[in-house]
Amino acid sequence: DTAVSQTPKYLVTQMGNDKSIKCEQNLGHDTMYWYKQDSKKFLKIMFSYNNKELIINETVPNRFSPKSPDKAHLNLHINSLELGDSAVYFCASTPGQPYYTDTQYFGPGTRLTVL
Amino acid sequence: RKEVEQDPGPFNVPEGATVAFNCTYSNSASQSFFWYRQDCRKEPKLLMSVYSSGNEDGRFTAQLNRASQYISLLIRDSKLSDSATYLCVVTKNTGGFKTIFGAGTRLFVKA
């Protein structure tokens, strides 16, 4: 049983295209996140949703638009892909509000390559 | 200065060695501290939380020094399976909740 799952695992696309990544968690958690891990391995938070409501929106280009149809799903749509968007995107979840003591449960990651 | 800084390594150690990783954080308002482990091409997973009193889990010991804004992780009797990247993680709740990951320290344990 996969706790946090993401699709696709790999995504190779051309500059200028639009693509989506999907995330689902079956842990019953209320809060979900998107992180970006670049080539230097820094893991940076992009967005966080709690019960379908956006609560964290870091400085991310507005080409990135998250959507949470329900608390178990958080998708990420990226418009007009650029070379610099190439990275591994991780979805994560935590049980309640994004309290600082909660363990983050990560999905396996989506490796995005923009050519 | 980065908010969370770690020595990137890599640390190359023989099996059975003791190895220590350090992490410093810049914001004194930071509230919670963790070590995560990330295997190559895998997702990060929680290794242990770090408490002011220090805590130990088997071969792993974590320490926090709030005065010096410093966190450490000690691994005793290293195993081949300990080879991974160790991420220092700091959270704060000033100006909004935020979790900050260090860039990680790579460890290679060799036979």
Side-chain angles (χ1 to χ4, degrees), chain A residues 24-42:
Chain A
E24 176 181 359
Q25 53 94 4
N26 62 7
L27 296 165
H29 288 173
D30 287 341
T31 304
M32 296 182 73
Y33 309 78
W34 277 113
Y35 285 87
K36 177 180 179 181
Q37 188 170 42
D38 60 24
S39 57
K40 292 183 179 170
K41 305 301 181 189
F42 278 104

Side-chain angles (χ1 to χ4, degrees), chain B residues 56-71:
Chain B
E56 188 173 311
D57 183 3
R59 298 180 293 108
F60 298 83
T61 301
Q63 298 272 356
L64 166 64
N65 184 323
R66 284 190 183 267
S68 302
Q69 294 180 201
Y70 169 95
I71 305 153

Side-chain angles (χ1 to χ4, degrees), chain A:
Chain A
D1 284 346
T2 306
V4 183
S5 59
Q6 295 178 228
T7 54
K9 192 166 183 182
Y10 299 96
L11 186 52
V12 181
T13 189
Q14 300 283 338
M15 265 173 52
N17 284 351
D18 303 338
K19 290 292 178 188
S20 291
I21 309 171
K22 295 186 176 183
C23 178
E24 176 181 359
Q25 53 94 4
N26 62 7
L27 296 165
H29 288 173
D30 287 341
T31 304
M32 296 182 73
Y33 309 78
W34 277 113
Y35 285 87
K36 177 180 179 181
Q37 188 170 42
D38 60 24
S39 57
K40 292 183 179 170
K41 305 301 181 189
F42 278 104
L43 200 65
K44 287 187 180 172
I45 191 165
M46 301 172 71
F47 302 102
S48 175
Y49 273 73
N50 176 262
N51 273 316
K52 303 192 297 177
E53 184 183 340
L54 180 67
I55 48 173
I56 294 175
N57 185 352
E58 290 294 306
T59 309
V60 175
N62 57 14
R63 297 182 296 103
F64 290 80
S65 49
K67 278 198 173 59
S68 182
D70 55 63
K71 74 173 194 177
H73 295 85
L74 180 61
N75 303 324
L76 184 65
H77 187 77
I78 315 170
N79 288 326
S80 303
L81 278 155
E82 299 177 357
L83 293 176
D85 298 332
S86 295
V88 181
Y89 292 84
F90 286 102
C91 177
S93 71
T94 52
Q97 289 278 348
Y99 290 127
Y100 42 84
T101 55
D102 276 351
T103 300
Q104 305 245 345
Y105 293 83
F106 284 86
T110 296
R111 187 171 294 272
L112 171 65
T113 303
V114 182
L115 303 174

